[in-house]
Amino acid sequence: MAKVLITGIAGFIGSSIARELLAQGATIVGVDNLSTGRMENLEEILSSIEFRRADVQDAQAMDDACVDVDYVFHEAAIPSVPKSVQDPVGTNGPNLDGTLTLLEAARKAGVKRLMYAASSAAYGDAPELPKTEAMLPAPISPYAVQKVAGEHYLSSYARVYGLETVSLRYFNIFGPRQDPTSQYSGVLARFISQMTAGETPTIFGDGQTSRDFTYIDNVVSANLLAAKAPSSVSGKIFNVATGRRVTLLEAYQAIKKIVGYTGDIQFKPEREGDIKHSVADISLAQQMLGYRVVADFTYGLEMTIEWSKGVQSMTAIA
Ligand code: UD2
């Protein structure tokens, strides 16, 4: 069975990929510097994986982590537009330097293929919808620039060094274990935790901002498909999404209904670096990876809210 390295394994996405790969019998090495990841995310799988507390910018640590590895899933990042606006230099290190450091380690170790958590932020605010991979990147925030630059490094490593790479452009992923506690957390995680706690959520903008909110199961599936796909996928970029657009107001109303929230919502001005609308064309991933939407928005919300209730009652008991 394959040996895999997952960076950012203590994060919401990394730990979800780890659970599925473990169920499929893979040997897992995971690295995380725990800057945004949390050990609770690994609770019941920690004894079944090799966990290393390390930073992706640490070349020696990445060399060591890549020994005998077949596939790398690179999820480590500081995944936040506003955080990058506030600290462009500080976020460039983990988001871009770390990616290059890891690519170099993977190349030297003879890794078979490296999958990368790219972002829909690459498309910027171009009016054309849905977003196709053939569109020219138009990053707005430093975060988007860092993620696009990473994609270029991946295709460079594929062409120049023959390291197989796949960039997966995630469109607003959500699900259990996504941290809701930071001001930089994803909007759905924040809304869910605020409304279950009876706190008033905030919409930045007029509520018509839209996103292709994608449940985590789709992302896990896309990663596994990308690892197994023929070599013709190497060096390429694929949207990972649902192909459906939901506004912030619709998301708020859907969560309100499931949670049974009776409070209100407040509106504040749009955030710097934000994009108005985002929705993906997923046909390339369907054709080349065999990707399918395995879980829709409503199902995803129900699962996430269910999980969130469990966490809150555990906290109450403790
Ligand atoms: C970007 C990327 C996404 C992913 C993510 C990193 C786009 C279109 N998407 O997500 O693919 O890489 O970065 O995690 O660039 N908002 C509120 N209230 C809140 C919090 C947020 O209204 O309490 C708004 C926010 O201003 C934005 C929208 O919700 O308009 C989504 O924000 P987000 O931080 O969840 O994700 P986003 O779109 O920056």
Side-chain angles (χ1 to χ4, degrees):
M1 204 32 171
K3 182 173 177 185
V4 308
L5 167 64
I6 304 174
T7 70
I9 195 166
F12 142 65
I13 298 177
S15 63
S16 303
I17 294 173
R19 277 186 179 74
E20 182 58 31
L21 283 169
L22 206 55
Q24 297 197 6
T27 302
I28 299 180
V29 180
V31 301
D32 205 300
N33 69 356
L34 301 180
S35 66
T36 58
R38 293 176 303 169
M39 289 309 282
E40 300 97 271
N41 287 342
L42 299 174
E43 224 162 26
E44 82 290 3
I45 59 166
L46 191 58
S47 58
S48 313
I49 63 172
E50 185 189 327
F51 176 76
R52 297 170 177 223
R53 185 169 181 170
D55 193 302
V56 280
Q57 295 170 84
D58 180 341
Q60 186 60 57
M62 290 309 106
D63 285 347
D64 294 345
C66 281
V67 172
D68 294 332
V69 161
D70 300 299
Y71 300 100
V72 177
F73 297 88
H74 177 34
E75 312 303 314
I78 300 189
S80 165
V81 169
K83 177 86 177 126
S84 78
V85 171
Q86 188 204 54
D87 185 9
V89 177
T91 50
N92 192 74
N95 288 347
L96 183 56
D97 298 342
T99 298
L100 179 57
T101 305
L102 180 67
L103 279 166
E104 190 56 7
R107 174 185 75 81
K108 286 190 284 176
V111 160
K112 286 186 187 139
R113 190 173 293 174
L114 182 145
M115 272 54 64
Y116 165 65
S119 170
S120 67
Y123 293 109
D125 233 352
E128 294 85 19
L129 294 175
K131 308 297 184 192
T132 71
E133 296 86 343
M135 290 173 177
L136 275 184
I140 296 174
S141 62
Y143 168 75
V145 173
Q146 294 154 9
K147 282 286 165 182
V148 170
E151 292 176 353
H152 287 302
Y153 267 129
L154 258 78
S155 53
S156 166
Y157 266 68
R159 292 189 66 156
V160 177
Y161 305 107
L163 170 68
E164 292 198 357
T165 65
V166 182
S167 289
L168 298 171
R169 276 189 187 157
Y170 298 165
F171 279 66
N172 291 73
I173 312 308
F174 72 100
R177 299 185 187 83
Q178 189 170 29
D179 180 12
T181 57
S182 149
Q183 57 164 313
Y184 304 120
S185 300
V187 64
L188 298 186
R190 273 174 75 82
F191 279 7
I192 291 170
S193 102
Q194 288 165 334
M195 285 193 246
T196 14
E199 293 161 13
T200 309
T202 304
I203 286 186
F204 298 116
D206 60 4
Q208 294 311 312
T209 298
S210 63
R211 294 289 184 268
D212 192 333
F213 292 112
T214 304
Y215 187 58
I216 183 70
D217 287 7
N218 300 304
V219 180
V220 171
S221 157
N223 272 279
L224 269 55
L225 289 166
K228 283 187 260 169
S231 292
S232 53
V233 301
S234 178
K236 296 201 162 48
I237 296 166
F238 298 95
N239 289 340
V240 175
T242 69
R244 200 182 146 233
R245 196 152 64 95
V246 175
T247 67
L248 293 179
L249 210 51
E250 285 166 347
Y252 159 71
Q253 276 150 359
I255 298 167
K256 183 175 179 166
K257 198 170 150 200
I258 302 172
V259 168
Y261 174 72
T262 51
D264 220 339
I265 182 122
Q266 58 178 335
F267 290 86
K268 287 197 178 160
E270 269 177 31
R271 292 201 305 208
E272 205 59 51
D274 265 352
I275 283 161
K276 188 76 186 168
H277 298 297
S278 172
V279 65
D281 179 328
I282 54 172
S283 49
L284 191 68
Q286 287 172 328
Q287 285 156 24
M288 293 194 72
L289 303 179
Y291 171 76
R292 298 285 174 270
V293 177
V294 293
D296 70 11
F297 178 66
T298 309
Y299 170 83
L301 274 189
E302 281 163 1
M303 290 295 120
T304 312
I305 291 167
E306 203 51 45
W307 172 82
S308 162
K309 281 186 199 154
V311 171
Q312 295 210 345
S313 61
M314 294 279 281
T315 317
I317 293 163

